Amino acid sequence: MTSHDATLSARTEDLGRALQIAGARLDDAVFGKVASSVAGVRERLALGVDHTVVALAGGTGSGKSSMFNKISRLTFADVGVKRPTTAKVTACSWSDDAATLLDWLSVERERRITRSSELDAADEASLSGLVLLDLPDHDSVAPGHREVVDKVLPLVDLLVWVVDPQKYADDALHTGYLRDSSGMQASTVVVLNQIDTVPVGQRDNLVNDVKRLLRDDGLENVPVVAASTKTDIGIADLRGLLEQTVARRSVSAGRAAGELDAAATLLLSQTPAEVPWHIDTVLEREVDALARAAGLESVAAQVGAAVRNGYGSPEFRSPDPDSIALSRSRWLTGSGESLKHGWQRSLAASVASAQEVATAVVKALQGVTLDTRGPTTQRLTRRLALGAVLVAVLLGTATVLASMGVLPAGETWTTVLGVLAVAAAVTALVVFLVAMQMRRALASRRAQGVVASGRAALERVLQQTLGAPTQRLLDEHRAVRELAQSARDDGPAAPLRLEENATTGGSIGASSPGSVRFTDLGTVRA
């Protein structure tokens, strides 16, 4: 696989993968265009896109077969009376791997030759990859010749029209072909062959007249090369033009690259650059919303009250369906705001429904422990408090009886009993207050635990029902964009520049007789 093949293949597969991921999220028209582009480029890749296809076209007797032989430096194409008009193509390839392309073009095996002689390999290296085609005569009466030409033209990097001084104004050429080629002037050259038959003083006038006719056909700035296969005028310049064409990316590769670029750009229009949404920024807000819908704070408060009071059986109610639906809608709006309609539709289908979210909320909250038991030291502190109260009562009673003389006791003993009674009472009060504080602290912890556990449960619900599906879709959205970006073209090729060459004897509007200028060729690009 050549470098262009490998690059285009990688870009095509990236685009195909992006299309596979995006799928039905794309508009039907976009999906169809991108899929068509991927399929078309794959077909072109199968033919090989690193070949530079140059086609010689012309009428009977224009000498294009002789031009074919001059360019190839072989005597392969039939010339003159030995070659009647035909609907068949002759090909010379400067490549050993053009067989698939030539098969697709229906070039018969016996009408092909490969230019790979070791004797002049160095001289021909600059044309490596060239496929030179000698097309059927455009004025042939044989059936099917137009179909052959039409099949070849989409793959042509350079279309060379070979005309002669006698028939360059032939209406069949201009009306049947050139006027339909408007817009292709950047990849068209006209060779005015047999220029040796024209007096030197008339050559410039003849070239200018050919240019005038081309302008009338809507083909501005198409170069006209004056040439002769007998005297070799213009042949070296024409080969030089082919060498520079070969050095550029082929039309087939350029068209494939352009088609991928257009398809990738179209796909990128369906995947905005930034989706400013992150789950962390909305999770807490929606947990609050679900907590309110399920009455989490209320249940937590009931648990705290039950712990403090020693009675109560709190439980979660069914969440408010309208609140759940509003939360889900808010989620979809926030996460899908920057998405195209197809992606928004896919997002809504991928996340759980409001009913599914509500069911998940109920199930999750059932796992939250609502513990209303008192402190584990409750029984001990109660006994201590009761014991202290009992002791205080007994001591108080004994003190009273002693002070009344009912019990024999001195003043000192009575005082001691009174102090002990007060101490016991204070102890009872302290134990009671400590027990109450322990209960309140436990109630607060239990209530906070319910809130924390409930919020954690609700967060898991949001992650599972809304968060994970949303993140998957956004990840795929990002993947589609990244793949489409990698499938885009790496920029236009540098313009083809053909320098002035004064070694020939023809002219193309040259400043002096005998020189050939290609400076008005423009850019040959797919």
Side-chain angles (χ1 to χ4, degrees), residues 51-235:
H51 300 296
T52 301
V53 181
V54 174
L56 301 179
T60 306
S62 64
K64 59 185 176 65
S65 295
S66 298
M67 188 68 65
F68 179 94
N69 290 337
K70 276 291 182 180
I71 294 172
S72 65
R73 295 175 178 171
L74 297 171
T75 305
F76 180 67
D78 297 327
V79 180
V81 296
K82 295 189 295 179
R83 183 179 181 273
T85 58
T86 179
K88 296 181 180 181
V89 181
T90 302
C92 178
S93 61
W94 280 253
S95 170
D96 293 325
D97 59 355
T100 302
L101 173 63
L102 295 176
D103 287 343
W104 187 82
L105 291 172
S106 301
V107 180
E108 297 176 358
R109 299 280 176 169
E110 61 271 17
R111 303 192 72 85
R112 309 177 189 178
I113 191 171
T114 300
R115 190 70 171 78
S116 59
S117 171
E118 296 181 0
L119 296 177
D120 57 0
D123 294 337
E124 300 299 319
S126 58
L127 294 180
S128 178
L130 174 65
V131 175
L132 182 65
L133 304 177
D134 182 12
L135 299 183
D137 300 326
H138 72 79
D139 53 0
S140 168
V141 296
H145 70 97
R146 180 65 186 252
E147 287 79 2
V148 174
V149 174
D150 289 344
K151 188 174 184 179
V152 170
L153 290 183
L155 293 176
V156 168
D157 294 275
L158 193 63
L159 181 59
V160 180
W161 284 100
V162 180
V163 298
D164 62 70
Q166 289 74 38
K167 295 193 296 181
Y168 70 86
D170 187 7
D171 184 67
L173 169 63
H174 291 272
T175 303
Y177 290 92
L178 292 178
R179 289 177 190 173
D180 292 336
S181 300
S182 179
M184 294 181 60
Q185 54 264 40
S187 57
T188 303
V189 171
V190 173
V191 174
L192 181 55
N193 195 21
Q194 302 173 14
I195 196 65
D196 58 297
T197 64
V198 178
V200 174
Q202 296 297 320
R203 292 177 184 178
D204 284 346
N205 293 334
L206 190 61
V207 168
N208 290 330
D209 193 44
V210 173
K211 287 185 175 183
R212 177 187 61 79
L213 291 174
L214 291 173
R215 286 195 296 271
D216 292 343
D217 293 333
L219 297 172
E220 292 284 348
N221 298 321
V222 169
V224 178
V225 181
S228 170
T229 56
K230 289 185 178 181
T231 64
D232 287 345
I233 292 176
I235 301 303

Side-chain angles (χ1 to χ4, degrees), residues 349-373:
S350 63
V351 302
S353 66
Q355 180 59 48
E356 290 171 334
V357 175
T359 300
V361 167
V362 171
K363 184 176 180 180
L365 293 179
Q366 287 174 349
V368 176
T369 301
L370 304 179
D371 188 359
T372 59
R373 294 173 300 168

Side-chain angles (χ1 to χ4, degrees), residues 436-447:
M436 285 187 60
Q437 186 59 35
M438 290 176 61
R439 184 179 288 275
R440 285 173 181 164
L442 180 62
S444 178
R445 289 197 302 273
R446 293 276 176 79

Side-chain angles (χ1 to χ4, degrees), residues 9 29 35 54 84 91 139 164-165 171 198 238-239 262 290 344 462 479 491:
S9 179
V54 174
D139 53 0
D164 62 70
D171 184 67
V198 178
L238 192 54
R239 277 182 62 94
L290 291 189
Q344 291 178 345
L462 284 174

